[in-house]
Amino acid sequence: IESGGENLVRGLKHMLADMEKGQLTHTDGTAFELGRNIAATPGKVIHETPLYQLIHYAPSTDTVLETPLLIFPPWINRFYILDLSPEKSFVKWAVDQGLSVFLVSWKSADASMKDMVWDDYILGGQIDAIDTVRDLLGVESVHTIGYCVAGTTLAATLALLAARGEADKVASATFFTAQVDFSKAGDLALFVDDEQMKLVDQLSAGGFLD
């Protein structure tokens, strides 16, 4: 009533635009500008594998702490969720504290990854990144952050390192919205049932979920 129906027209335009793109959107993608309000903190890729790229951020302090910070974001999101505009960037905040910050950017799943399993994200992903940073800086250990499913994976990585007698490679581990004990899955159980798993199987029939 207040807009004279203009909101309905605007909503229809959004729907048609989403249909043309083939996906639902919640924000205007054209509003983002690389380096301004998305992936704003200066850094560069220093290591690349078929599974991930490793970004090292430029220091903003005269000196940095000896033990670096290595961040594992979820592979179903993008690394820049932690580095939007400077005012909203966890990465910038960490760099400004004098930390040497590294962050993994996972490869988006495609047909080339159809044979990869969770072990690959542990061995060829997290442990490889931990060892790469340690070797690069010549340090004994790294601080780690595991975000969402990458936090679940980090818990498994820590267990494997401990079993190998290599637990001291990780000085500390911090978990962002990460579930580890699935025996009490809480609200997650509302979204994971037999029907949902059948749907996932159908959507990933080619060996990967786009």
Side-chain angles (χ1 to χ4, degrees):
I1 293 173
E2 289 177 6
S3 68
E6 183 184 342
N7 61 316
L8 299 177
V9 175
R10 191 164 59 246
L12 183 60
K13 286 180 178 177
H14 289 323
M15 185 187 77
L16 292 173
D18 282 354
M19 289 173 66
E20 189 175 335
K21 282 182 286 195
Q23 66 181 59
L24 291 173
T25 56
H26 298 281
T27 56
D28 178 9
T30 63
F32 294 97
E33 181 185 337
L34 192 64
R36 182 178 65 84
N37 57 3
I38 190 167
T41 306
K44 61 182 179 181
V45 174
I46 59 156
H47 178 66
E48 184 171 3
T49 77
L51 186 57
Y52 74 92
Q53 291 181 328
L54 183 63
I55 302 169
H56 186 206
Y57 290 92
S60 62
T61 54
D62 292 335
T63 59
V64 294
L65 296 166
E66 179 179 357
T67 305
L69 172 63
L70 175 56
I71 305 171
F72 298 108
W75 51 84
I76 53 174
N77 209 312
R78 295 293 177 268
F79 75 91
Y80 46 73
I81 192 68
L82 294 172
D83 183 34
L84 297 173
S85 62
E87 301 79 21
K88 299 177 181 177
S89 171
F90 174 79
V91 170
K92 181 183 185 325
W93 179 86
V95 169
D96 287 346
Q97 307 314 301
L99 286 163
S100 185
V101 179
F102 295 80
L103 189 148
V104 164
S105 175
W106 301 103
K107 176 180 169 63
S108 294
D110 61 20
S112 70
M113 299 170 66
K114 64 183 178 64
D115 295 322
M116 284 190 173
V117 294
W118 196 39
D119 303 32
D120 295 302
Y121 283 88
I122 296 170
L123 297 164
Q126 293 190 345
I127 291 179
D128 182 70
I130 289 167
D131 286 339
T132 298
V133 173
R134 289 175 60 252
D135 292 343
L136 178 70
L137 299 184
V139 295
E140 292 295 320
S141 61
V142 300
H143 295 296
T144 57
I145 289 175
Y147 186 2
C148 194
V149 68
T152 306
T153 309
L154 180 58
T157 293
L158 296 174
L160 179 58
L161 288 175
R164 289 177 167 182
E166 299 175 352
D168 56 357
K169 287 184 177 182
V170 176
S172 71
T174 302
F175 298 89
F176 289 178
T177 61
Q179 192 141 2
V180 174
D181 181 3
F182 287 86
S183 66
K184 297 180 180 179
D187 288 347
L188 184 63
L190 298 173
F191 303 99
V192 181
D193 56 24
D194 291 341
E195 290 303 312
Q196 285 282 50
M197 294 310 297
K198 286 179 185 175
L199 178 61
V200 170
D201 284 342
Q202 291 171 1
L203 293 173
S204 58
F208 73 100
L209 187 63
D210 186 350

